[in-house]
Amino acid sequence: MDLHFGDSKPTDEERAAVDALLGPPESSWEGADRSDADLRWARGGRAARDRRDLLLPGLHALNDRVGWISEGALDYLCRRLTVPPAEAYGVATFYAMFSVRPRPATVLHVCTDLACTAAGAAGLCAGVEARLGPGSGVQVERGPCLGLCERAPAALVIRAGEDPAGPAPGNPGGKVPTGPAHGDQAGGNAAGKDPARPAFAGEAVPAGGVPGGSAPGAGSGAGDTAPGAGSRARDTTPGVGSRARDTTPGVGSRARDTTPGVGSRARDTTPGWRRDIPRATAVVAPATPDATVAAATAPENAPAEPPPAAAVPQAGDPALTLLRRVGTTDPASLDDYRANGGYAALRRAFALGPAGVIREVTDSGLLGRGGAAFPTGRKWQATASQPDHPHYLVCNADESEPGTFKDRVLMEGDPYALVEAMTIAAYATGAHRGYLYLRGEYPRALHRMEHAIGRARARGLLGDDILGQGHSFDIEIRRGAGAYICGEETALFNSIEGHRGEPRSKPPFPVEKGLFGKPTVENNVETLVNVLPVLTMGAPAYAAIGTERSTGPKLFCVSGSVARPGVYELPFGATLGELLTLAGVRDNLRAVLLGGAAGGFVRPDELDIPLTFEGTREAGTTLGSGVVMAFDDTVPLPRLLLRIAEFFRDESCGQCVPCRVGTVRQEEALHRIVERTGADAAGDVALLREVGRAMRDASICGLGQTAWNAVESAIDRLGAYE
Amino acid sequence: MTVTPLGIPRRLLEFTLDGEPVRAPEGSTILDACRAAGKDIPTLCEGDTLTPKNACRVCVVEVEGSRTLVPACSRRAEPGMRVRTGTERARHSRKVVLELLASSVDLSTTPRVAAWLKEYEAKPDRFGPDAARLNEEPKVDNDLYVRDYDKCILCYKCVDACGDQWQNTFAISVAGRGFDARIAVEHDAPLTDSACVYCGNCIEVCPTGALSFKSEFDMRAAGTWDEARQTETTTVCAYCGVGCNLTLHVQDNEIVKVTSPHDNPVTHGNLCIKGRFGYQHVQNRD
């Protein structure tokens, strides 16, 4: 590939951010100064192109360090990865959290989505902007749901700067530098020995060769893994084990939840370009203008978030299954996890064998909890039986549906459960590499999962020979960058692979051609966590919970006009009314949104709808991902519908016409009728229906197909605009 | 004058098209089968030399058992499939998609679209005068070709032609998201600062005229572009020894643009900068 790079040069800081992720460049072909040797031979090409999946981590590295992505920085990253700059520009401009224009280092994201709007997000924005005033150095961005609906209104502060923990801000979770061409050899062994592969995390890098830190990851590899294991990891597996941070003593003593990377690491302190201000994040929820401004100006001093258990009103109830460890078990302690039943399911899985696990999951009747309700056992079986290898496992933790926050609470409150469940899924489906695609707006979940994965790896619960059973599996975390569409399974693959997060057309389905074109099983966080009780209690006992066709426990994210918003666990079959009573629904209930922005509204007189997949279907609505948002009569319904339309217009990837233009036309129509009813609105309502029908029928993916659901249900069931 | 390679023999599979049993070679798309059966299905983003992106969604048809409509251009025919092309449901989607497109971009230079708008009774005006449009000025930053994104339907054909399907230059991509998505070169720079090598293969595949020869753009602006007066002559490029076919479009004894036959088994319609744009010496009469 004869790529063209412009004249823009990266600054030292930008170069350092990229090099911290990729290691220093080896030759002028990838951006180093020209040496005599470079005049005699050309290098790069396929070896570099195979690392295209590092594009998104690379963009994160730049954005985390500098706050935006300049031309020079993007070109340098492209040179390192042999990615055409036009394509990388297309990727960088796809994600809401990146900017290709200069902006202040501090960005304040204020959620203006359903629950937050109902809780006064507009006033919060106005108050914050008035207090900050011009020239504050803080950019305020109104944005989609931050997944903090139980604590609405919510704000998230992200300040760019050097990672106080080390030079790998964009690569949480430990990059395993094995591209698709290298297969998924356990832990990337072959890749590590590839002489054409530049120095990577964990490999020998000349000390001090990287501004801002000695050998990225090298120190952490030794620090994080047990003696012996550490040296093995260093010899053979760049990345596996090496980037595992977070295991240094004193987890609790570190600045918690503020950075993806934690852990102490010796490094250079000399470069003059270094910022004095370290990278920091802060979550403010429920947010007041004063608290938000304080957090935006000094995120490192922001008060800690309430513990994850605060989002679980039932916390401590011994009847809980999925949530039983949230609040009762230290999410940082692997020992505590094991003492509370952790890793019993994995041992049972090893006893059953892969086919036995799939049989058990199939018999349990477990349906996917991400919204589509596909039988998990069938999906696993279909992937496991594919002759093509390697197989991949992807955990979809890109929970971006407005109103949904259960996966965040699970990952923050019981991170090892997800690690164990992913290990079981990989064992059953024959995958040796798992990707945890975690949404970019979840700093604490990211930190918790990084920590858990690092600890599991150090203790031999991830890696080459898990529990001495000969099964090899490792997990890599990939951080999303603000795109709801990346929760669509094929868009997620494109995002991991370093392409724009646009959905692919199906067929072929992921079980046949998924991530890197290989058979892939993709499950949502809650689905995977359900596998643990399936194995510990056995399929028949699990299937006995819930109803005949919707088995097991289900998590519901209750927010809005209730006294106790949060994540609730109920067996399938409880009614909507029972759930709302549990959450303390307020008087004057006007409507309940089931299933999030892609779901549908129901009336207050329909509270006897059973919360099962079949029950909601029969009632003409959907359970979706388990969102239950209650709105009382103080919430202006047309404004709410307009916000839903805005959300879909903003989040459409733009690939197909029905969704790209249809979402705009729907938003325009809703703007026109926001104050109108009856005959005045009839024409636009008819227009909405026609466009909505075509979007549902002809869009490529679920986003366009469901974008009209909530508004349609509000018109049909609630009589909006009548 | 072209030779069409026959390829290896393929088995025939049977399925039902609008109630009629049809046979199509294995690997054919529904659209291939429709065309073989003489059915006209509108398409915009489908291109004869490129893998369909199925982004425009005007070719959707109904397949029994499928929850949504499926794009005929890219869905492979399967044995026993039951396909219906002209149902009310499919026609409704095509109509709305045409309306959405025509209300947001300028389709005046898109072949056949006027007829489709009429056939499907599409009324792009019904979204009102305030319906968002691209409304962008043409980008004229070089003497060879013009990018008029006001006519762009984001079919991705130019991206694919510039990328790994033909040219391997990777000068253009889609940037941004949603309604704000645009075809762009790196950093949204002028073409002259980009990786573009001016092969013009993107113009060759553009279905709407969003990419056009500067000569055509200027003549349209002056009102002198008249395809009825043009002749097309296919000849062999004289620059090098490959022997690419050129089709010279001549109006009033002047070459106004150069295309290349898509069914040429060597070039499939692709040319280089010399073959595509290096024709001025032919008509230098000083």
Side-chain angles (χ1 to χ4, degrees):
Chain A
M1 224 184 318
D2 180 25
L3 296 183
H4 170 274
F5 300 99
D7 299 329
S8 314
K9 293 280 174 278
T11 63
D12 286 347
E13 191 170 14
E14 290 163 344
R15 188 185 291 268
V18 173
D19 289 352
L21 176 73
L22 301 176
E26 287 206 322
S27 70
S28 70
W29 298 99
E30 6 168 11
D33 291 336
R34 178 165 291 191
S35 69
D36 283 352
D38 292 330
L39 299 174
R40 296 186 186 85
W41 67 314
R43 183 146 100 173
R46 188 185 302 150
R49 275 202 296 285
D50 282 348
R51 300 192 299 166
R52 165 98 186 219
D53 64 302
L54 289 179
L55 184 59
L56 184 56
L59 294 172
H60 267 304
L62 289 165
N63 195 61
D64 285 350
R65 178 77 73 97
V66 187
W68 68 286
I69 296 157
S70 72
E71 283 187 29
L74 190 66
D75 280 354
Y76 180 66
L77 180 61
C78 287
R79 207 182 276 270
R80 297 297 316 276
L81 296 173
T82 323
V83 172
E87 289 192 1
Y89 181 76
V91 174
T93 53
F94 185 83
Y95 296 101
M97 291 174 81
F98 298 146
S99 171
V100 293
R101 308 265 173 270
R103 66 175 175 187
T106 307
V107 179
L108 171 67
H109 298 267
V110 181
C111 176
T112 54
D113 235 312
L114 304 177
C116 290
T117 291
L124 174 65
C125 285
V128 166
E129 277 168 348
R131 281 170 177 73
L132 281 171
S136 64
V138 176
Q139 182 161 326
V140 180
E141 291 193 356
R142 292 162 170 78
C145 185
L146 291 171
L148 296 158
C149 316
E150 86 279 15
R151 285 186 270 147
L156 170 67
V157 183
I158 298 177
R159 187 178 66 198
E162 199 201 351
D163 187 341
N171 189 25
K175 166 58 193 159
V176 187
T178 305
H182 294 283
D184 69 341
Q185 296 92 344
N189 295 356
K193 288 170 185 157
D194 184 350
R197 189 160 276 265
F200 234 94
E203 289 184 278
V205 176
V210 186
S214 60
S220 63
D224 290 341
T225 16
S231 58
R232 187 204 60 214
R234 194 121 55 119
D235 292 341
T236 58
T237 61
V240 175
S242 60
R243 286 285 172 92
R245 295 185 290 262
D246 308 356
T247 52
T248 42
V251 171
S253 67
R254 269 170 290 148
R256 286 187 313 278
D257 305 340
T258 55
T259 61
V262 282
S264 58
R265 192 181 298 172
R267 54 172 197 270
D268 285 349
T269 50
T270 41
W273 44 259
R274 170 165 300 157
R275 283 162 185 261
D276 293 319
I277 301 173
R279 170 174 154 68
T281 57
V283 168
V284 199
T288 59
D290 288 330
T292 309
V293 168
T297 35
E300 69 279 15
N301 296 329
E305 283 186 73
V312 181
Q314 298 161 301
D317 183 345
L320 295 176
T321 305
L322 303 174
L323 295 172
R324 74 189 161 98
R325 276 184 290 260
V326 178
T328 59
T329 305
D330 179 2
S333 166
L334 181 51
D335 291 327
D336 210 15
Y337 177 70
R338 298 185 77 150
N340 284 283
Y343 281 100
L346 181 62
R347 271 193 293 276
R348 172 113 203 283
F350 282 135
L352 289 169
V357 174
I358 292 177
R359 200 179 317 119
E360 201 81 348
V361 172
T362 307
D363 290 349
S364 75
L366 174 62
L367 300 179
R369 305 290 201 242
F374 190 82
T376 305
R378 260 173 62 199
K379 192 188 265 188
W380 288 16
Q381 177 61 45
T383 309
S385 61
Q386 290 292 324
D388 194 12
H389 278 85
H391 294 180
Y392 288 104
L393 168 71
V394 173
C395 173
N396 186 345
D398 191 56
E399 174 182 64
S400 311
E401 181 72 42
T404 320
F405 46 95
K406 61 194 168 66
D407 291 349
R408 172 179 61 81
V409 171
L410 278 175
M411 290 188 288
E412 289 179 351
D414 196 10
Y416 292 102
L418 182 56
V419 175
E420 184 186 357
M422 284 181 75
T423 311
I424 293 168
Y427 176 66
T429 56
H432 299 292
R433 166 86 21 97
Y435 288 86
L436 174 64
Y437 191 90
L438 184 54
R439 79 174 290 209
E441 293 89 340
Y442 279 179
R444 182 159 71 175
L446 174 67
H447 163 58
R448 289 282 185 233
M449 290 310 304
E450 277 188 317
H451 176 74
I453 289 169
R455 288 301 301 153
R457 198 181 279 143
R459 297 270 289 269
L461 292 163
L462 286 174
D464 283 346
D465 183 17
I466 295 170
L467 286 177
Q469 296 287 325
H471 177 58
S472 154
F473 176 66
D474 212 315
I475 299 172
E476 183 176 329
I477 296 181
R478 283 310 175 89
R479 184 153 49 118
Y484 171 70
I485 183 62
C486 289
E488 199 279 340
E489 53 182 356
T490 57
L492 195 159
F493 300 150
N494 277 336
S495 179
I496 292 180
E497 290 177 24
H499 297 277
R500 290 165 56 81
E502 293 170 350
R504 304 171 182 172
S505 47
K506 295 183 275 189
F509 290 94
V511 293
E512 193 188 334
K513 285 191 190 314
L515 188 62
F516 302 120
K518 296 295 178 183
T520 303
V521 62
E522 179 173 344
N523 285 128
N524 152 276
V525 173
E526 186 191 345
T527 313
L528 285 167
V529 170
N530 266 283
V531 170
L532 304 178
V534 166
L535 289 178
T536 48
M537 66 173 69
Y542 180 91
I545 307 171
T547 64
E548 194 183 337
R549 282 151 71 200
S550 300
T551 58
K554 174 77 190 101
L555 300 183
F556 296 96
C557 308
V558 187
S559 58
S561 311
V562 293
R564 293 174 296 279
V567 184
Y568 287 84
E569 178 185 318
L570 289 175
F572 272 115
T575 66
L576 180 56
E578 286 165 10
L579 175 62
L580 284 173
T581 307
L582 205 56
V585 67
R586 299 201 191 111
D587 294 340
N588 305 322
L589 184 68
R590 166 84 202 272
V592 181
L593 180 60
L594 276 184
F601 285 96
V602 297
R603 289 188 306 272
D605 62 354
E606 296 180 296
L607 297 186
D608 56 348
I609 292 178
L611 295 172
T612 58
F613 291 119
E614 65 276 12
T616 46
R617 205 178 308 126
E618 277 159 26
T621 181
T622 176
L623 200 57
S625 56
V627 171
V628 175
M629 288 178 117
F631 297 102
D632 62 24
D633 55 10
T634 61
V635 179
L637 194 57
R639 291 264 155 221
L640 209 60
L641 301 184
L642 193 53
R643 173 58 217 167
I644 292 174
E646 267 173 24
F647 174 80
F648 283 106
R649 185 256 291 141
D650 275 345
E651 298 297 334
S652 170
C653 76
Q655 189 182 205
C656 70
V657 177
C659 181
R660 179 178 76 232
V661 189
T663 52
V664 173
R665 296 290 175 260
Q666 291 214 318
E667 190 199 349
E668 288 165 354
L670 288 168
H671 261 294
R672 282 195 294 269
I673 58 175
V674 76
E675 305 290 345
R676 286 194 258 152
T677 52
D680 290 345
D684 278 315
V685 169
L687 193 70
L688 282 165
R689 283 189 198 280
E690 281 204 41
V691 174
R693 184 178 167 214
M695 287 168 68
R696 184 174 291 155
D697 273 348
S699 296
I700 292 179
C701 80
L703 188 149
Q705 289 161 11
T706 61
W708 151 245
N709 282 2
V711 179
E712 182 187 40
S713 68
I715 293 171
D716 288 346
R717 295 177 97 106
L718 303 182
Y721 311 115
E722 270 176 12
Chain B
M1 99 89 235
T2 47
V3 179
T4 308
L6 293 174
I8 52 166
R10 289 187 290 176
R11 277 185 300 186
L12 294 176
L13 53 84
E14 283 189 34
F15 69 101
T16 318
L17 193 58
D18 290 331
E20 302 285 324
V22 291
R23 286 150 71 86
E26 231 174 23
S28 322
T29 62
I30 293 173
L31 185 65
D32 294 335
C34 287
R35 285 179 173 164
K39 289 183 193 298
D40 183 33
I41 297 195
T43 61
L44 284 169
C45 71
E46 184 262 352
D48 52 355
T49 64
L50 297 162
T51 305
K53 186 74 181 168
N54 67 70
C56 77
R57 318 302 279 188
V58 292
C59 68
V60 287
V61 295
E62 218 170 315
V63 172
E64 206 170 284
S66 173
R67 185 172 46 86
T68 56
L69 300 174
V70 305
C73 68
S74 59
R75 178 63 68 87
R76 308 252 171 231
E78 292 163 27
M81 203 178 221
R82 289 170 193 276
V83 180
R84 285 178 293 161
T85 60
T87 60
E88 191 275 330
R89 190 174 166 211
R91 291 182 65 88
H92 171 81
S93 276
R94 281 181 217 156
K95 171 191 149 187
V96 172
V97 164
L98 287 167
E99 286 174 336
L100 292 173
L101 270 181
S103 66
S104 57
V105 294
D106 170 11
L107 295 179
S108 61
T109 51
T110 307
R112 301 195 61 193
V113 93
W116 290 331
L117 287 170
K118 206 171 158 190
E119 181 193 339
Y120 288 95
E121 295 169 4
K123 298 183 186 63
D125 296 339
R126 68 191 179 122
F127 300 115
D130 299 330
R133 291 182 63 89
L134 264 69
N135 280 336
E136 289 194 7
E137 289 300 307
K139 290 181 191 287
V140 188
D141 50 20
N142 66 90
D143 289 337
L144 299 184
Y145 74 90
V146 176
R147 298 178 285 164
D148 187 355
Y149 290 147
D150 200 32
K151 294 179 172 174
C152 176
I153 60 167
L154 280 180
C155 69
Y156 289 67
K157 280 164 88 173
C158 57
V159 177
D160 290 345
C162 190
D164 59 1
Q165 290 194 29
W166 290 115
Q167 182 62 26
N168 279 289
T169 292
F170 302 96
I172 43 183
S173 168
V174 178
R177 192 166 82 187
F179 198 74
D180 299 327
R182 297 285 186 279
I183 303 291
V185 300
E186 62 268 32
H187 318 303
D188 218 359
L191 211 59
T192 44
D193 293 345
S194 78
C196 177
V197 297
Y198 301 94
C199 63
N201 292 335
C202 53
I203 307 177
E204 182 76 49
V205 297
C206 178
T208 63
L211 300 171
S212 68
F213 278 69
K214 178 81 162 28
S215 52
E216 178 178 341
F217 179 81
D218 288 345
M219 287 174 75
R220 280 186 188 277
T224 56
W225 181 262
D226 184 359
E227 274 172 32
R229 273 159 56 208
Q230 292 171 10
T231 59
E232 294 179 16
T233 308
T234 299
T235 180
V236 177
C237 180
Y239 276 107
C240 75
V242 169
C244 302
N245 283 181
L246 305 180
T247 300
L248 308 178
H249 297 245
V250 177
Q251 181 178 331
D252 302 335
N253 217 23
E254 293 275 340
I255 299 172
V256 291
K257 72 172 179 181
V258 177
T259 59
S260 181
H262 286 203
D263 55 357
N264 182 304
V266 178
T267 59
H268 296 278
N270 294 289
L271 293 172
C272 72
I273 180 173
K274 290 190 282 188
R276 181 87 60 190
F277 295 107
Y279 55 78
Q280 283 305 325
H281 67 289
V282 177
Q283 45 206 26
N284 188 345
R285 299 186 176 90
D286 292 338

